[in-house]
Amino acid sequence: MKLAKRVSNVKPSATLEITARAAAMRAEGIDVIGFGAGEPDFDTPEHIKKAAIEALKKGYTKYTPVSGITSLKDAIIAKLQRDNRLTYNREEIIVSCGAKHVLYNIAQAMFEEGMEVIIPAPYWVSYPEMVTLAGAAPVSVDTTEEEGFLLSADKFEKAITRRTRALILNYPSNPTGATYDLDTLEDIAKVAVKHNIYIISDEVYEKILYTDFHHISIASLDEKIKELTIVVNGFSKAYSMTGWRLGYAAGNKELISAMSNIQSQSTSNPTSFAQYGGIDALNGSQDEIPKMRDEFKMRRDYIVRRLNMMKGVSCFNPAGAFYVFPKISSYYGKSFKGHQIKNSLDMTEYFLREGRVAVVPGVTFGADDYLRLSYAISMKNIEEGLNRIEESLDKLSNG
Ligand SMILES: *Cc1c(COP(=O)(O)O)cnc(C)c1O
């Protein structure tokens, strides 16, 4: 069938693909350890589920206002004030079907042919695809492990051209776990203000942070940068609500209104009772968050230590999120039974077939020397999976 040109450039999400392949192997009876997951392995806190069930019982099962119910917007406004020292009014807030949907709407409302969007690499897989779908050009700017996988203001400024419309920042980062401190954010903000570049600030991992400093939203630095920033956040990662499909953005009211128009002609409102659960997530007890974070931190400490002990592997210590991003390229060029491993895709394939472990190849995040492992799985599986990785690496021979 002849498809639109626009989709010929779009790749399916590699992370979802790996997860599906591991699931298919499991269905065949092969026990695969999956490090692919992009979602917390905890259950949604009980009080949030109750709030949604209550909403269902009360008959809140109909269309809602397109951009979200007022009481949820108010809960979001209160959250942004409380956690991020950001002040917004209702016209500056939109609720969509997940942070991913929010980002898609932003791309559709802001970008078009002839524009460039700067994306620091390693990046979340969907950013370049969303920019491409909107007709604009993603401009990937490499950051290195030595730089802590952070974009410097200098590199940012050098990447700016007459066509640059926006910078997409994600901190803590998927896939590296790196996050920005105040000084670096201030330097980046200065450059953005000087050149009038918008910042799309994806902060979905803000609550999963192991540093002794708190998450800082770039929008909170001053009024000028706030005007240029669209803050993106959601419920999936902080509250383990990936299946609920609920996320939000805060920013310029013309942009929010355009996003709402797009939404009104595509998905309409996010699911009614999910929104009621969302209110309770933000306004209710936050006690589950530190529990999940402490568990993630314990796993991070273990997995980073183990990976760094493996010969030829080095692993950056992530400040947040639930991924590690080890460098394994010292094994490129080695072989197993005559098959040479040349890149992160080959390594992923090898681990899956021979080691029965699923990881995500770094190339999909714009960094082919690396792999991404999620530690949103049990300690027992992490241990066993790392054993398998270590054994698989040991089996590789020179040439
Ligand atoms: C998971 C994730 C999202 C999307 O989250 P949803 O709210 O479930 O759509 C957005 N950005 C990054 C970096 C993510 O890892």
Side-chain angles (χ1 to χ4, degrees), residues 118 120-121 139-147 149-160 167 188 191:
I118 298 175
V139 175
S140 160
V141 176
D142 284 336
T143 67
T144 65
E145 193 172 335
E146 292 69 38
E147 296 166 324
F149 291 122
L150 297 174
L151 179 71
S152 66
D154 196 39
K155 272 196 178 176
F156 171 34
E157 189 155 32
K158 286 200 174 105
I160 294 172
L167 163 71
I188 290 173
V191 174

Side-chain angles (χ1 to χ4, degrees), residues 165-181:
R165 172 79 160 161
L167 163 71
I168 304 181
L169 275 188
N170 170 217
Y171 54 105
S173 150
N174 175 3
T176 66
T179 204
Y180 289 90
D181 60 21

Side-chain angles (χ1 to χ4, degrees), residues 287-338:
D287 290 353
E288 293 305 309
I289 291 177
K291 285 188 211 157
M292 294 193 246
R293 188 191 51 220
D294 289 350
E295 173 67 29
F296 279 140
K297 183 171 185 295
M298 204 176 70
R299 297 178 193 170
R300 176 203 67 165
D301 291 346
Y302 174 78
I303 198 167
V304 169
R305 184 156 29 86
R306 281 278 317 264
L307 284 165
N308 275 317
M309 274 158 52
M310 291 181 198
K311 209 176 96 204
V313 177
S314 69
C315 184
F316 175 80
N317 195 29
F322 42 72
Y323 311 99
V324 283
F325 205 57
K327 187 172 190 174
I328 40 84
S329 53
S330 74
Y331 286 90
Y332 296 171
K334 293 190 187 258
S335 303
F336 181 72
K337 291 185 178 163

Side-chain angles (χ1 to χ4, degrees), residues 7-151:
V7 290
S8 65
N9 299 323
V10 179
K11 288 175 250 147
S13 161
T15 39
L16 297 182
E17 204 168 79
I18 293 279
T19 313
R21 274 191 63 194
M25 284 173 72
R26 260 183 230 118
E28 284 173 36
I30 306 167
D31 101 275
V32 180
I33 305 259
F35 285 107
E39 59 182 349
D41 53 321
F42 307 107
D43 198 6
T44 304
E46 204 51 44
H47 67 96
I48 300 174
K49 289 198 214 169
K50 274 206 186 118
I53 291 166
E54 219 31 60
L56 279 169
K57 284 189 184 154
K58 283 186 187 151
Y60 297 153
T61 56
K62 304 295 175 69
Y63 291 138
T64 75
V66 168
S67 61
I69 53 181
T70 304
S71 43
L72 177 54
K73 285 190 186 176
D74 288 348
I76 291 166
I77 289 167
K79 182 267 173 223
L80 290 166
Q81 188 74 64
R82 181 174 70 232
D83 292 351
N84 311 105
R85 289 196 243 154
L86 286 166
T87 309
Y88 291 100
N89 56 47
R90 288 176 190 161
E91 295 81 66
E92 295 169 307
I93 306 287
I94 184 171
V95 187
S96 304
C97 310
K100 196 181 230 175
H101 185 214
V102 167
L103 288 158
Y104 184 82
N105 285 340
I106 291 173
Q108 290 295 314
M110 279 185 81
F111 306 147
E112 63 192 13
E113 228 153 286
M115 289 177 181
E116 293 175 354
V117 179
I118 298 175
I119 304 173
Y123 44 72
W124 186 50
V125 289
S126 296
Y127 300 140
E129 303 300 325
M130 287 180 183
V131 170
T132 305
L133 270 170
V139 175
S140 160
V141 176
D142 284 336
T143 67
T144 65
E145 193 172 335
E146 292 69 38
E147 296 166 324
F149 291 122
L150 297 174
L151 179 71

